[in-house]
Amino acid sequence: MAEDTGTAQAARPDERIRALDRLTGSWRVTGGAEGTVAYRWAAGGFFLIQDVELEQNGQRVTGFEVIGREKPFGAKRPSEEIRSRFYDHQGNTFDYVYELDGDTLTIWAGEKGSPAHFRGTFDATGDTLSGAWVYPGGGGYDSVMTRAG
């Protein structure tokens, strides 16, 4: 049995969370929603924060999203899935699951496997993410994010 030296190793964000680093910075959004989004890491690097300023269907959409693994009080380990919650200026909350596989980002609305989702691909430089939001019954739209800073 190892001796406890009183120096517990600090928890560190895992590679799947760190892979989302390619989102950090400011982006110009075009397509079915127009405006800007910006991603930044919260202290510690476990959560990515997205600030949103968009217009969609003539409506202003502003808010912020917290993206990371859930680890409720008392849990020994964080969730397997990378989850998020978006909070908008009208008091709504929306839950998502993020999945990054190579250059393909999928954002599932609600739960993984949902028929409502975004799927996009980063270009070779990582400065453009092109894809589409898909909604059951139609109403989806193309979306392109271009790095602005």
Side-chain angles (χ1 to χ4, degrees):
M1 190 161 157
E3 181 178 318
D4 181 2
T5 62
T7 56
Q9 185 174 353
R12 295 207 168 107
D14 64 78
E15 65 186 45
R16 285 183 47 218
I17 290 290
R18 294 304 306 164
L20 295 176
D21 192 55
R22 67 195 309 178
L23 289 168
T24 58
S26 299
W27 299 80
R28 175 83 179 125
V29 178
T30 57
E34 304 270 336
T36 60
V37 298
Y39 294 86
R40 61 187 162 77
W41 288 107
F46 289 93
F47 298 97
L48 191 60
I49 311 296
Q50 178 185 200
D51 296 303
V52 174
E53 294 279 341
L54 297 172
E55 185 170 314
Q56 183 178 19
N57 299 323
Q59 300 292 317
R60 184 173 146 245
V61 178
T62 63
F64 68 95
E65 182 178 23
V66 179
I67 306 160
R69 295 191 190 278
E70 292 180 340
K71 188 176 178 190
F73 183 73
K76 300 253 189 243
R77 292 186 192 91
S79 65
E80 178 62 29
E81 294 174 333
I82 297 172
R83 297 187 161 274
S84 77
R85 176 162 283 170
F86 178 77
Y87 302 84
D88 78 8
H89 70 284
Q90 295 182 330
N92 298 304
T93 60
F94 301 97
D95 295 330
Y96 299 95
V97 173
Y98 274 64
E99 199 173 36
L100 183 59
D101 183 14
D103 289 332
T104 301
L105 175 65
T106 304
I107 305 171
W108 303 100
E111 298 296 326
K112 185 176 177 179
S114 169
H117 62 277
F118 168 83
R119 182 165 291 127
T121 304
F122 285 95
D123 70 357
T125 66
D127 291 333
T128 303
L129 176 65
S130 301
W133 281 96
V134 175
Y135 299 127
Y141 60 89
D142 291 340
S143 179
V144 177
M145 287 186 4
T146 305
R147 191 174 301 278

